[in-house]
């Protein structure tokens, strides 16, 4: 069975790069009828940030990326915190020492620093002179009994027979052994493992078949493959993802608050739209190595703004369609995709959870999501009901890039417009008084004749008839009404606005 893992470090809030990694693991697992694990890589306790794990889990839950095994979702692969698996890493280090592929190093930090400087002055690219490799068993035993601290280093002079490096995305890989540190550390002096040892041990013990991780780990792939070969265990299939960049071209990191998932949650972006955006960032042409060797043909690559549901994302996902280039996340694409996800959701129908009646559940869900924010924006309004918010969403369709922007686009639906503001006065100054009086007199008198059944009235037809009677252009006619009803320069169709406001509120605002 296909089994993947998303393995973040609890060093702060989940950021977009991490969310994209979790998404790709989720999509690949679902497409291949597999599962995925959430594993917390917390072996570097100096960087641990309290609350990070809960934050990661909540972000994944918000996005609808439900892992099959992990914290709170126990299974056969636990424990899911690396800090609870230290005995496993010591065991693996012991196996490597016994086979001669690793050794204990007792050099102090000062000694290592002096050695590195000495090697550099001699023109060597080595970072360590490997002096502890030549200690006898008796010397190692004596130092250990004396309580001297040590690290375990990989002996990369002993090259095991291993498979050549390969990757589902970066298909053409050169041998990068020359760039590796001299005898990299596997187990630190505090007996916590480095990423190199811990990831190999965990991926093998958990039965991971495919490893997706960032491109920054690509230089370490030769070392990891050497470790697999030294332990005589098969490696998983690797896929290294190009990194995401900020708009200024800098690498996305947790130090930039605007890339944290929690900020997108607070801003009100639709989770499926954010996933859609991340999925399409960096898609390009197919590579020569298929992710599924049994596939008869490639899945067509969607364009960079195609609106996709989660099920559609699973169906279209193909890891070999990712480009090799680092990708800049474009905010404008998220706005476009989010707008269309809102429009799609407003048409979603299904049984009401309370009554079982088939209704517009998508629209109701959007209204409930933004209800608290609208009430907070207009605390004294009696019109901040779910029904009114639903109507606001419908008349703003195609204008809303974010559901939380309703108070910005249509405050006049919840409170009377402030016609005394500087901005409003400026708009009014552009309307001639004679034109203003004529339009308000005509439309007000016509609307007073409209019966109580406001919703059955052809308001648009009524407005057109009044405009024709006055012999005015549509632009001049409508700008008077829009200013008086909304206090704004533009917006949804005025007939729709009047319909939502209702008869009494519309007539009250049209009085001179």
């Amino acid at each position: 069975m296909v089994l993947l893992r998303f393995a973040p470090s609890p060093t702060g809030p989940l950021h977009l790069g991490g969310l994209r990694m979790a998404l790709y693991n989720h999509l690949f697992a679902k497409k291949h009828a597999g599962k995925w694990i959430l594993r917390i890589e917390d072996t570097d306790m100096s960087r641990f940030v309290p609350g990070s794990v809960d934050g990661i889990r909540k972000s994944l839950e918000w996005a609808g990326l439900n892992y099959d095994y992990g914290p709170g979702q126990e299974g056969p692969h636990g424990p899911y915190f690396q800090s609870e698996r230290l005995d496993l890493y010591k065991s693996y280090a012991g196996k490597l020492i016994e086979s001669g592929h690793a050794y204990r190093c007792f050099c102090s930090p000062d000694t290592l620093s002096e050695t590195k400087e000495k090697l550099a002055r001699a023109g060597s690219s080595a970072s360590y002179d490997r002096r502890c490799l030549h200690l006898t068993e008796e010397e190692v035993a004596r130092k250990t009994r004396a309580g001297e601290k040590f690290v375990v280093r990989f002996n990369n002079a002993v090259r095991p027979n291993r498979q050549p490096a390969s990757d589902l995305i970066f298909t053409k890989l050169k041998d990068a052994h020359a760039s590796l540190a001299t005898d990299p550390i596997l187990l630190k002096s505090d007996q916590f493992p480095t990423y190199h040892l811990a990831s190999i041990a965990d991926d093998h013990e958990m039965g991971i078949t495919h490893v997706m991780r960032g491109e920054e780990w690509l230089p370490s792939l030769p070392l990891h493959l050497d470790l697999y070969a030294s332990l005589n265990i098969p490696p998983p299939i690797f896929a290294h993802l190009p990194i995401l960049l900020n708009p200024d071209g800098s690498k996305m990191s947790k130090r930039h608050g605007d890339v944290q998932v929690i900020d997108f949650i607070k801003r009100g972006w639709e989770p499926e739209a954010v996933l859609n955006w991340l999925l399409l960032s960096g898609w390009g042409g197919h590579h020569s190595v298929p992710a599924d060797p049994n596939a008869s043909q490639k899945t067509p690559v969607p364009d960079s703004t195609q609106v996709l549901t989660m099920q559609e994302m699973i169906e279209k996902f193909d890891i070999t369609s990712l480009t090799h280039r680092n990708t800049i996340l474009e905010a404008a694409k998220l706005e476009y995709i989010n707008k269309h996800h809102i429009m799609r959701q407003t048409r979603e129908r299904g049984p009401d959870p309370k009554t079982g009646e088939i209704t517009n559940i998508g629209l109701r869900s959007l209204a409930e999501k933004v209800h608290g924010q609208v009430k907070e924006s207009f605390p004294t309004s009696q019109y901040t009901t779910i029904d009114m918010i639903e109507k606001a969403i419908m008349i703003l369709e195609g204008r809303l890039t974010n559901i939380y922007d309703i108070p910005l686009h249509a405050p006049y639906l919840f409170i009377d417009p402030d016609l005394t503001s500087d901005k409003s006065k400026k708009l009014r100054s552009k309307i001639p008084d004679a034109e203003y009086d004529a339009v308000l007199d005509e439309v007000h008198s016509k609307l007073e004749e409209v019966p109580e059944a406001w919703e059955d009235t052809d308001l648009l037809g009524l407005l057109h008839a009044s405009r024709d009677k006055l012999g005015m252009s549509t632009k001049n006619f409508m700008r008077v009404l829009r200013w008086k009803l909304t206090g704004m320069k533009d917006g949804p169709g005025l007939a729709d606005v009047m319909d939502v406001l209702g008869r009494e509120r519309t007539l009250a605002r049209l009085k001179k």
Side-chain angles (χ1 to χ4, degrees):
M1 183 185 73
V2 167
L3 183 64
L4 300 95
R5 87 302 194 271
F6 171 54
S9 299
T11 55
L14 187 66
H15 63 97
L16 289 178
L19 184 63
R20 183 180 70 151
M21 191 69 69
L23 170 65
Y24 283 10
N25 277 276
H26 179 84
L27 296 178
F28 192 97
K30 297 308 176 186
K31 181 154 189 176
H32 296 279
K35 296 183 178 181
W36 64 285
I37 293 170
L38 172 63
R39 186 173 77 210
I40 304 300
E41 299 196 338
D42 59 344
T43 55
D44 188 350
M45 300 308 293
S46 65
R47 299 176 62 220
F48 176 78
V49 175
S52 293
V53 176
D54 286 341
I56 290 169
R57 293 179 62 186
K58 288 178 181 177
S59 293
L60 293 176
E61 182 181 0
W62 168 79
L65 300 178
N66 302 313
Y67 50 89
D68 298 285
Y69 306 111
Q73 193 70 21
E74 301 305 318
H77 312 286
Y80 298 101
F81 289 81
Q82 286 189 331
S83 59
E84 299 175 10
R85 302 169 67 88
L86 299 184
D87 288 343
L88 173 67
Y89 311 133
K90 292 178 184 177
S91 171
Y92 270 67
K95 292 177 183 178
L96 290 167
I97 291 173
E98 290 174 10
S99 65
H101 289 97
Y103 61 94
R104 294 179 179 87
C105 174
F106 296 88
C107 295
S108 68
D110 288 341
T111 299
L112 291 174
S113 179
E114 292 172 4
T115 300
K116 189 173 182 179
E117 290 178 7
K118 182 178 179 181
L119 290 168
R121 286 196 299 270
S124 173
S125 61
S127 55
Y128 178 53
D129 61 6
R130 315 178 78 220
R131 68 181 66 182
C132 288
L133 173 62
H134 307 294
L135 294 174
T136 65
E137 290 185 14
E138 290 76 12
E139 288 175 310
V140 170
R142 178 176 55 80
K143 287 177 176 290
T144 304
R145 284 196 302 271
E148 290 190 37
K149 288 187 176 183
F150 65 87
V151 299
V152 174
R153 289 180 177 272
F154 182 62
N155 183 4
N156 59 11
V158 181
R159 290 288 175 85
N161 293 322
R162 63 167 176 83
Q163 300 174 2
S166 63
D167 187 83
L168 290 178
I169 299 173
F170 293 87
T171 54
K172 297 179 181 179
L173 297 177
K174 298 179 180 179
D175 192 327
H177 276 94
S179 65
L180 294 175
T182 306
D183 294 357
I185 295 174
L186 303 178
L187 202 65
K188 296 176 286 187
S189 59
D190 60 3
Q191 300 303 290
F192 274 72
T194 61
Y195 173 83
H196 307 303
L197 178 63
S199 62
I200 272 74
D202 285 339
D203 288 343
H204 178 67
E205 293 293 325
M206 290 181 171
I208 301 301
T209 62
H210 295 73
V211 169
M212 290 188 193
R213 59 188 183 186
E215 181 188 350
E216 64 269 22
W217 290 109
L218 201 53
S220 299
L221 183 58
L223 168 61
H224 295 171
L225 292 175
D226 283 348
L227 283 168
Y228 278 107
S230 299
L231 290 163
N232 197 28
I233 56 179
I237 298 171
F238 288 93
H240 290 83
L241 304 182
I243 62 174
L244 293 175
L245 302 178
N246 293 309
D248 63 0
S250 62
K251 181 181 176 182
M252 190 172 290
S253 70
K254 294 179 181 180
R255 292 187 297 274
H256 293 80
D258 57 340
V259 301
Q260 296 175 355
V261 176
I262 187 64
D263 294 320
F264 287 76
I265 296 174
K266 291 178 179 177
R267 178 66 180 87
W269 297 105
E270 300 305 310
E272 205 167 51
V274 174
L275 297 181
N276 189 165
W277 178 49
L278 292 174
L279 169 67
L280 297 177
S281 297
W283 277 42
H286 290 292
H287 311 320
S288 59
V289 180
D292 181 2
N294 299 317
S296 58
Q297 60 182 11
K298 298 284 190 176
T299 304
V301 178
D303 66 54
S304 63
T305 55
Q306 186 170 347
V307 180
L308 303 168
T309 64
M310 175 57 75
Q311 186 56 43
E312 290 168 336
M313 290 185 227
I314 294 171
E315 293 170 359
K316 292 181 179 292
F317 182 70
D318 182 353
I319 193 68
T320 67
S321 294
L322 282 172
T323 70
H324 297 171
R325 301 185 304 275
N326 295 332
T327 303
I328 292 178
L329 281 176
E330 299 179 38
K333 286 187 178 180
L334 174 58
E335 292 177 355
Y336 174 87
I337 292 171
N338 199 74
K339 176 173 71 173
H340 286 274
H341 270 276
I342 292 173
M343 293 168 64
R344 174 179 278 189
Q345 193 170 341
T346 60
R347 296 174 176 83
E348 182 184 345
R349 300 185 64 80
D352 184 282
K354 297 179 180 178
T355 65
E357 180 184 354
I358 299 299
T359 185
N360 198 328
I361 58 172
L363 180 60
R364 177 54 57 104
S365 175
L366 287 169
E368 290 175 345
K369 172 183 175 179
V370 76
H371 187 207
Q373 194 252 5
V374 172
K375 289 179 67 176
E376 185 177 335
S377 298
F378 309 108
T380 62
S381 173
Q382 60 177 307
Y383 300 106
T384 55
T385 62
I386 294 291
D387 288 343
M388 177 59 75
I389 296 172
E390 286 185 352
K391 293 176 181 178
I393 294 171
M394 292 306 296
I395 69 168
L396 290 171
E397 184 178 47
R399 293 175 176 270
L400 280 177
T401 57
N402 189 303
I403 199 70
Y404 277 21
D405 287 342
I406 289 175
L408 177 67
H409 286 291
Y412 49 81
L413 296 181
F414 308 98
I415 57 173
D416 288 340
D418 180 8
L419 302 182
T420 64
S421 68
D422 291 340
K423 184 177 181 180
S424 184
K425 287 179 178 179
K426 186 176 180 180
L427 290 173
R428 172 64 181 88
S429 67
K430 296 178 180 179
I431 303 173
D433 289 342
E435 188 177 280
Y436 175 78
D437 291 338
V439 172
L440 291 188
D441 286 342
E442 169 62 23
V443 176
H444 189 274
S445 62
K446 286 289 185 184
L447 291 178
E448 280 190 316
E449 300 172 2
V450 174
E452 294 298 324
W454 185 258
E455 64 277 3
D456 297 329
T457 303
D458 179 10
L459 295 173
L460 183 59
L462 185 149
L463 294 179
H464 284 170
S466 294
R467 177 206 59 196
D468 292 343
K469 180 180 179 181
L470 295 174
M472 294 176 60
S473 68
T474 300
K475 178 182 177 181
N476 292 345
F477 178 83
M478 291 298 185
R479 70 176 177 176
V480 175
L481 294 178
R482 187 172 298 282
W483 180 82
K484 202 71 167 71
L485 291 172
T486 72
M488 302 180 76
K489 183 179 180 180
D490 51 33
L494 281 177
D496 293 330
V497 172
M498 293 162 61
D499 182 53
V500 173
L501 287 175
R503 186 176 188 275
E504 290 184 9
R505 296 175 75 194
T506 299
L507 287 170
R509 292 187 187 184
L510 291 179
K511 286 182 179 178
K512 286 189 294 183

